[in-house]
Amino acid sequence: MNPVFISLSLFIVLLSSSHKAASINEYLLNKRGLECLKKQDYDQALEAFTRLLDHQSTSTYANLGHVYFKQQDYDKAKSAYSQALAQAKDPQKAELQYYLGNVAFQNQNYQEATQFYKKALKKNPSHQASKHNLELALQRLDQKQPPQNKNDQQDKQNKKKQEPNKTQTKPQQNPNTSEGPNDQPLAK
């Protein structure tokens, strides 16, 4: 048998087995990170997801964003979600833009939040949490802008009297859970 053929065959077998090992390692680290996130052990979740960054998958960055969001480190959450969005496929983009909208909302940047929620709705028009949060962000923007003249002030006061009292003023974090961003990994 040809020694070159044997060497090449051995190299291919080793290469494929190392790829499988990396995939298993990714899976286990991701699973550990999600379990820690669910248990609110954010330090351990952060460690697991940070180790996964070597693989730089969309779901790793999104999950890392979830941990930072839960820790209320919104700047790091925005960075992680942005990195996930940069490499995401279309089905994932709406959810990531929604998460970025939530980060902007928490930073009281309602203009930016509305832009992200609108982008999420453009990708997925039936995303209920984005619709709800867009309404809240628009309300907050409206509250921040002072009326331009007395007639505008009068119109706004009359409008407020006519509007029913809205009971929920916090943004929805996720349509599937009340705990915050989706703790499930995004599909690769």
Side-chain angles (χ1 to χ4, degrees):
M1 191 166 249
N2 185 346
V4 173
F5 178 74
I6 292 173
S7 296
L8 186 58
S9 298
L10 183 60
F11 176 74
I12 292 171
V13 168
L14 289 174
L15 184 64
S16 67
S17 66
S18 69
H19 177 68
K20 287 179 186 174
S23 296
I24 291 170
N25 190 34
E26 282 182 55
Y27 171 78
L28 292 174
L29 281 170
N30 193 53
K31 183 178 177 183
R32 180 170 179 254
L34 290 173
E35 288 170 355
C36 291
L37 182 61
K38 197 172 193 175
K39 293 177 186 174
Q40 298 182 351
D41 185 352
Y42 301 131
D43 291 335
Q44 291 297 314
L46 192 58
E47 179 185 326
F49 292 134
T50 302
R51 287 179 55 201
L52 269 171
L53 287 179
D54 293 338
H55 308 287
Q56 297 183 353
S57 70
T58 302
S59 62
T60 300
Y61 282 114
N63 289 331
L64 190 59
H66 297 339
V67 174
Y68 287 132
F69 189 91
K70 295 278 189 168
Q71 291 181 325
Q72 298 179 353
D73 191 340
Y74 301 122
D75 291 336
K76 287 183 181 177
K78 181 179 181 179
S79 176
Y81 288 141
S82 295
Q83 287 175 305
L85 182 62
Q87 61 190 27
K89 295 183 172 94
D90 260 355
Q92 302 165 328
K93 288 184 179 183
E95 195 72 15
L96 290 164
Q97 288 164 332
Y98 160 73
Y99 293 144
L100 284 163
N102 289 347
V103 169
F105 192 100
Q106 292 300 323
N107 283 330
Q108 298 181 358
N109 187 343
Y110 304 120
Q111 183 66 41
E112 184 179 41
T114 60
Q115 291 170 354
F116 280 119
Y117 295 139
K118 285 177 182 179
K119 288 177 184 177
L121 288 167
K122 190 173 183 180
K123 293 280 181 194
N124 181 0
S126 63
H127 198 272
Q128 293 301 315
S130 290
K131 286 179 185 178
H132 174 79
N133 290 2
L134 175 60
E135 289 177 20
L136 289 178
L138 289 170
Q139 287 174 4
R140 298 285 171 92
L141 267 177
D142 213 22
Q143 291 171 0
K144 274 188 151 185
Q145 296 174 353
Q148 293 177 347
N149 62 39
K150 286 186 179 183
N151 288 339
D152 287 343
Q153 271 183 334
Q154 195 84 29
D155 289 343
K156 284 190 182 241
Q157 287 174 352
N158 290 338
K159 194 175 187 180
K160 276 188 178 181
K161 288 178 186 175
Q162 293 173 351
E163 285 182 5
N165 188 10
K166 304 233 178 191
T167 56
Q168 188 174 4
T169 59
K170 289 185 178 181
Q172 287 183 0
Q173 299 303 320
N174 186 302
N176 301 322
T177 177
S178 61
E179 293 183 359
N182 191 346
D183 295 340
Q184 299 300 316
L186 294 172
K188 291 184 181 178

